[in-house]
């Protein structure tokens, strides 16, 4: 297995739970974003996890992402939105856009997570016409309340295996490309 750094930001424990699963499955080193090393060059994979705030990574992770350079990156996130929703998918693009120079995003993992009780209380006090306090939003809060659950944790562990397999295939492809380049540069045999 490759050497992984798992760096996360978490306030409710949702993202921390997924980070722990990814670190456990990869045998990686785990860091809160506040404690992450500045030099990540010793790691073959850098997994960056965050919770969503206003359709993108939370502020701590948002400040850290540009510092990550020259890395093979995996992004993972937790949120109250439905997995696969436009909100969740767009946030990956926003996170990737913030990465420093020469990063390659290998894959993404998303899991629902329960909302903080204080956030729900604030939203319930807002205008009923606000999309964040709509009946649909309140249904989503209910669905998210039991996440991340064991199914989400198992999916995070499985995700690590998929990323390792993807890297194996990528390395094989690059070796074959290099062999083809080398063969085509050789003079013909007589």
């Amino acid at each position: 297995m490759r050497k992984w750094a798992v760096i996360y930001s978490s306030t409710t424990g949702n993202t921390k739970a997924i980070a722990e699963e990814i670190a456990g499955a990869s045998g990686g080193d785990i860091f809160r974003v506040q404690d992450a090393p500045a030099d990540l060059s010793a790691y073959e994979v850098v997994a960056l996890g965050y919770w969503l705030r206003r359709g993108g990574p939370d502020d701590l992770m948002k400040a850290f992402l540009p510092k990550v350079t020259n890395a093979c990156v995996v992004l993972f996130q937790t949120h109250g939105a439905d997995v696969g929703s436009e909100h969740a998918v767009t946030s990956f693009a926003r996170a990737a856009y913030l990465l420093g120079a020469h990063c390659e995003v290998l894959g993404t993992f998303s899991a629902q997570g329960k909302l903080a009780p204080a956030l729900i209380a604030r939203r319930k006090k807002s205008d009923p016409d606000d999309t964040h306090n709509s009946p649909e939003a309140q249904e989503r809060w209910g669905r998210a309340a039991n996440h991340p659950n064991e199914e989400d944790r198992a999916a995070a562990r499985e995700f690590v295996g998929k990323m390792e397999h993807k890297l194996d295939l990528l390395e094989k492809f690059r070796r074959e490309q290099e062999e083809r380049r080398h063969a085509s540069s050789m003079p013909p045999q007589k």
Side-chain angles (χ1 to χ4, degrees):
M1 211 160 284
R2 291 159 185 89
K3 189 166 182 183
W4 287 54
V6 181
I7 301 167
Y8 71 93
S9 176
S10 188
T11 56
T12 61
N14 297 332
T15 310
K16 180 182 180 189
I18 297 300
E20 289 170 345
E21 295 299 335
I22 291 173
S26 67
D29 298 331
I30 187 168
F31 307 96
R32 293 180 328 141
V33 69
Q34 303 93 310
D35 305 323
D39 181 5
L40 297 169
S41 63
Y43 296 98
E44 295 167 271
V45 179
V46 178
L48 301 165
Y50 50 87
W51 50 278
L52 296 190
R53 183 170 189 272
R54 297 184 176 162
D58 66 87
D59 291 341
L60 285 175
M61 187 56 73
K62 196 182 289 185
F64 183 75
L65 289 167
K67 298 173 186 174
V68 179
T69 60
N70 302 304
C72 177
V73 172
V74 168
L75 298 171
F76 65 99
Q77 63 187 18
T78 60
H79 46 78
D82 292 323
V83 172
S85 68
E86 182 65 25
H87 183 72
V89 171
T90 301
S91 65
F92 281 128
R94 290 181 176 141
Y97 178 78
L98 293 171
L99 285 167
H102 310 293
C103 286
E104 178 181 7
V105 177
L106 181 65
T108 60
F109 180 82
S110 186
Q112 265 192 322
K114 60 190 167 296
L115 275 69
L119 177 60
I120 291 174
R122 278 195 311 273
R123 287 187 174 172
K124 283 184 176 180
K125 290 179 184 177
S126 69
D127 183 345
D129 292 331
D130 181 352
T131 59
H132 291 100
N133 189 26
S134 68
E136 294 83 13
Q138 291 184 28
E139 285 177 30
R140 244 186 344 268
W141 304 341
R143 288 192 303 274
N146 298 317
H147 291 271
N149 59 22
E150 183 48 42
E151 189 175 301
D152 300 320
R153 288 177 174 83
R157 294 188 299 269
E158 184 179 314
F159 174 72
V160 170
K162 289 178 181 177
M163 294 301 98
E164 285 286 339
H165 180 67
K166 196 173 185 180
L167 281 167
D168 291 341
L169 293 174
L170 187 58
E171 286 175 5
K172 179 182 175 189
F173 173 76
R174 288 179 177 157
R175 273 192 314 273
E176 290 171 353
Q177 290 295 96
E178 184 58 34
E179 289 168 6
R180 284 189 190 112
R181 272 193 294 276
H182 180 71
S184 68
S185 68
M186 298 294 290
Q189 297 286 329
K190 291 188 179 185

